[in-house]
Amino acid sequence: METSRSDRVKTAVLLLAAAGLIAGLALYFTNQPIAAGILWTAGVLPALATLVIEILRSLGRGEVGLDIVAALSMTAALVFGETLAAAVVAVMYAGGSFLESFAEGRARREMHALLSRVPRSATRHRNGRLEDIPLDEIAPGDRLLIRQGDMIPVDGLVASDTAFLDSSALTGESLPVRLGRDDEAMSGTTNAGEAFDLTATREARDSTYAGIVRLVEEAQASKAPMSRLADRWSLGFLAVTLVIACSAWWITGDPIRAVAVLVVATPCPLILAVPVALVAGLSRAAHFGVLIKGAGPLETMARIRTLILDKTGTLTDGRPRIVSIVGRDDNDPDQLLRLAAALDQASKHPVAQAVVSAAQERGLTLPVPTDVAEFPGEGVAGTLEGQYVIVGGSRFVAERVGQQIREDPALDDGAVLVAVAVDGRMAGHLVMSDPLREDAGAMLHRLRALGLTRILVATGDRARVAERVTDGLNLDGLRSDLSPDQKVLLVLTERKRGPVMMVGDGMNDAPALAAADVGVAMGARGAAASAEAADVVLLVDHIDRLGIGIEIAGKARRIALESVIAGIGLSVLGMIAAAFGYLTPVQGALLQEVIDVAVILNALRALRIAPEGGRVSSDIRTAEA
């Protein structure tokens, strides 16, 4: 609400300043200079008032920004009757503030579509009926119904015979887990199987999900504010301006020369060129599926030297895939996959859907099963082309055919077996795992080329799984078995070396994303909590967009710096000319306009940034639509 009100104020100030300038010029050219001066003054006062308020707030925080130079130039111009010059300065300043606000507001609006997973209510059993209640009304001992696809709202114990939960967003484990009666289920996990009952053991505010939200809030509160590029130049520019203006007044005794210096010195290259270049960079990054939430994160992104990556959903797809097919008695692997996938069409289980997708990718024709019986969390049985087929966990299938299956060594490294039996005999099994993304190695190599000097992986997975997945990658460190608060601690430790970027997609990554100098969320399939806490969201499921975003940020910042250096240099030359009496305040304002046009045109080059290897694919264009 407060941010929205600030945006409306900036828009109104710009409209008033522009209207005052234009209407005043109309009156001036119809020989009504007094009325024109009144309108120019009326357009300046709102901008000056908001400027003074912002200056007082900045000084209260111990900050000195560009606002002081702009306020001095407007005030001096009004005091000495140079109302046209004051009006021009007011429009330029209000325009710069509006551009920054516009960029940040667009990022906020695009985030609304990513916040759909946060639970706000629960379904409770009460007197033989079901009722929907707000989360804060859940009490320990309440029996809740958790439907398929629901996120568990509070910590509790499974009150049904079995539950099948996807905890990837919470713990980083990519494969769903099976829980039995009285096993503990954490809030934030998702029901990947049939509906089950849960007995609440904690209130919502004390549950795992709420604890992670508190960690996010604490991390955001302790995070140092991002320093704007423009403000880092402001103190030196302010000192140079005051020295030239005061010297011109003291030596000549003419205050108008000081006014002219101040008008020429209005830091429009900083006020306008920097936000224009950065907004253009934001727009260009969004074109490639990288949503950066404002100019501050983009600037910081360009200076990152340390990167911390989550594993699941970031370096890996976060979805189970078939890594091998082992057939018994010379069974053809493709035929084994075809039978398993055909039967799994009748199941919504994530592993079953992965098997179906693998078969479809190979172009296999899948017959329709009949007499299907599904055992939630265990497997599926049914008839296919006159054969009785069973697909599921190795123990489940072995019990039904009276045969044992040899456990694959890959299981110790985080893989699972999907066994297949045909007409009462074991036919073989599929080995499923969450493999490394194909482009992960190339992505890390490119990030090194872009200037990152330290790359680490931080994951909640077991050490053996993490080591297997990241084997062969050029990493500077691997941290496994990490809880959300341990990830935050790692980020804070690495920040002592310099700016840190954290990349993740799960709810368990959200606190670390908030604590990092730049947090990056995989927004296409990631948790809403991570997207909300992050400074940057990759809108498509392509990790290579990270390198593209960093490259665009670096080039946009460089273009902004070029504009600033050129503009400030020209402004200093103009101030010297004004100090020697070669420019009146109005001429100084017009000269500053010429400088503004030049630096803005240069800043707009950021719209044409072409990252190496960057190409907008069809899925990115779909995301933008």
Side-chain angles (χ1 to χ4, degrees), residues 4 23 40 54 154 159 234 246 259 265 272 296 310 342 353 356 435 482 518 543 555 577 613:
S4 178
W40 286 331
E54 186 58 37
V154 297
S234 61
C246 293
V259 173
L272 291 175
D310 176 47
Q353 294 301 304
V356 174
L482 297 183
V518 176
I543 190 63
K555 290 183 176 180

Side-chain angles (χ1 to χ4, degrees), residues 451-538:
L452 272 73
T453 57
R454 186 168 170 79
I455 301 177
L456 304 94
V457 168
T459 178
D461 264 357
R462 301 184 305 277
R464 191 167 178 179
V465 176
E467 289 169 0
R468 178 184 60 81
V469 171
T470 60
D471 183 44
L473 293 181
N474 183 18
L475 299 173
D476 296 295
L478 172 62
R479 306 289 188 272
S480 56
D481 294 302
L482 297 183
S483 62
D485 54 340
Q486 288 174 326
K487 287 188 177 183
V488 171
L489 181 60
L490 176 62
V491 168
L492 296 179
T493 301
E494 291 296 327
R495 283 182 66 185
K496 297 176 183 178
R497 301 172 182 264
V500 173
M501 173 183 285
M502 171 72 192
V503 184
D505 76 326
M507 189 188 311
N508 60 327
D509 299 317
L513 296 180
D517 294 283
V518 176
V520 181
M522 302 291 292
R525 292 188 294 111
S530 63
E532 175 69 7
D535 304 295
V536 180
V537 179
L538 304 186

Side-chain angles (χ1 to χ4, degrees), residues 258-587:
V259 173
V261 170
L262 289 173
V263 170
V264 176
T266 301
C268 296
L270 292 174
I271 293 172
L272 291 175
V274 171
V276 166
L278 298 183
V279 167
L282 297 177
S283 176
R284 190 60 176 162
H287 184 66
F288 288 93
V290 183
L291 173 64
I292 304 176
K293 301 181 188 178
L298 185 139
E299 286 185 44
T300 307
M301 197 172 178
R303 298 185 291 111
I304 291 297
R305 293 296 175 266
T306 298
L307 173 66
I308 301 176
L309 291 159
D310 176 47
K311 180 185 72 67
T312 305
T314 302
L315 283 178
T316 68
D317 279 326
R319 292 173 290 191
R321 289 181 178 270
I322 295 176
V323 295
S324 66
I325 302 176
V326 180
R328 282 192 174 189
D329 302 327
D330 297 326
N331 282 313
D332 179 61
D334 278 352
Q335 175 63 8
L336 197 65
L337 174 59
R338 176 175 173 271
L339 291 175
L343 189 57
D344 275 340
Q345 291 178 106
S347 174
K348 292 184 178 180
H349 191 290
V351 173
Q353 294 301 304
V355 172
V356 174
S357 297
Q360 291 173 340
E361 289 172 3
R362 298 191 185 194
L364 301 179
T365 301
L366 304 181
V368 178
T370 58
D371 302 322
V372 176
E374 181 171 8
F375 304 84
E378 299 280 3
V380 187
T383 301
L384 282 167
E385 299 175 333
Q387 297 174 303
Y388 184 67
V389 180
I390 305 174
V391 179
S394 56
R395 186 178 62 180
F396 167 79
V397 177
E399 288 175 352
R400 278 153 181 78
V401 299
Q403 290 180 269
Q404 294 299 315
I405 183 170
R406 295 185 301 273
E407 296 290 332
D408 194 294
L411 283 177
D412 294 334
D413 291 335
V416 296
L417 291 185
V418 176
V420 183
V422 178
D423 289 334
R425 296 182 58 83
M426 193 70 72
H429 62 267
L430 318 176
V431 181
M432 305 197 70
S433 185
D434 183 18
L436 193 69
R437 289 178 185 264
E438 294 181 359
D439 57 350
M443 183 269 296
L444 295 183
H445 178 75
R446 186 178 181 210
L447 291 177
R448 297 278 189 188
L450 289 172
L452 272 73
T453 57
R454 186 168 170 79
I455 301 177
L456 304 94
V457 168
T459 178
D461 264 357
R462 301 184 305 277
R464 191 167 178 179
V465 176
E467 289 169 0
R468 178 184 60 81
V469 171
T470 60
D471 183 44
L473 293 181
N474 183 18
L475 299 173
D476 296 295
L478 172 62
R479 306 289 188 272
S480 56
D481 294 302
L482 297 183
S483 62
D485 54 340
Q486 288 174 326
K487 287 188 177 183
V488 171
L489 181 60
L490 176 62
V491 168
L492 296 179
T493 301
E494 291 296 327
R495 283 182 66 185
K496 297 176 183 178
R497 301 172 182 264
V500 173
M501 173 183 285
M502 171 72 192
V503 184
D505 76 326
M507 189 188 311
N508 60 327
D509 299 317
L513 296 180
D517 294 283
V518 176
V520 181
M522 302 291 292
R525 292 188 294 111
S530 63
E532 175 69 7
D535 304 295
V536 180
V537 179
L538 304 186
L539 296 176
V540 291
D541 191 29
H542 292 278
I543 190 63
D544 67 324
R545 301 298 128 181
L546 181 62
I548 290 175
I550 292 176
E551 184 177 350
I552 289 174
K555 290 183 176 180
R557 185 175 183 272
R558 185 166 63 249
I559 289 172
L561 279 171
E562 291 171 355
S563 300
V564 166
I565 292 171
I568 292 299
L570 292 173
S571 293
V572 170
L573 293 177
M575 284 190 282
I576 293 172
F580 282 97
Y582 294 112
L583 292 173
T584 66
V586 172
Q587 290 172 336

Side-chain angles (χ1 to χ4, degrees), residues 121-331:
S121 63
T123 303
R124 179 173 64 185
H125 291 274
R126 176 60 61 88
N127 299 326
R129 301 177 62 184
L130 293 174
E131 59 180 3
D132 287 333
I133 59 171
L135 290 189
D136 56 9
E137 292 186 13
I138 299 175
D142 282 350
R143 190 180 180 96
L144 307 176
L145 174 65
I146 310 299
R147 299 181 177 91
Q148 187 176 54
D150 283 353
M151 178 187 287
I152 296 179
V154 297
D155 296 344
L157 301 177
V158 175
S160 300
D161 291 334
T162 186
F164 209 77
L165 300 182
D166 177 3
S167 61
S168 58
L170 190 64
T171 66
E173 292 283 356
S174 57
L175 298 173
V177 296
R178 179 183 179 278
L179 299 181
R181 184 179 293 274
D182 295 331
D183 284 344
E184 183 175 4
M186 292 184 293
S187 60
T189 56
T190 302
N191 182 10
E194 300 298 320
F196 69 94
D197 286 345
L198 178 84
T199 302
T201 56
R202 293 190 180 98
E203 295 181 355
R205 65 173 179 268
D206 299 323
S207 292
T208 303
Y209 182 87
I212 291 178
V213 171
R214 281 193 294 273
L215 277 174
V216 172
E217 292 171 346
E218 291 168 4
Q220 289 176 327
S222 63
K223 186 174 179 178
M226 294 180 178
S227 174
R228 296 190 308 169
L229 183 150
D231 288 339
R232 291 194 292 273
W233 287 70
S234 61
L235 194 58
F237 186 74
L238 174 61
V240 170
T241 299
L242 292 178
V243 167
I244 295 177
C246 293
S247 298
W249 191 353
W250 180 65
I251 293 173
T252 65
D254 183 3
I256 299 300
R257 291 201 182 186
V259 173
V261 170
L262 289 173
V263 170
V264 176
T266 301
C268 296
L270 292 174
I271 293 172
L272 291 175
V274 171
V276 166
L278 298 183
V279 167
L282 297 177
S283 176
R284 190 60 176 162
H287 184 66
F288 288 93
V290 183
L291 173 64
I292 304 176
K293 301 181 188 178
L298 185 139
E299 286 185 44
T300 307
M301 197 172 178
R303 298 185 291 111
I304 291 297
R305 293 296 175 266
T306 298
L307 173 66
I308 301 176
L309 291 159
D310 176 47
K311 180 185 72 67
T312 305
T314 302
L315 283 178
T316 68
D317 279 326
R319 292 173 290 191
R321 289 181 178 270
I322 295 176
V323 295
S324 66
I325 302 176
V326 180
R328 282 192 174 189
D329 302 327
D330 297 326
N331 282 313

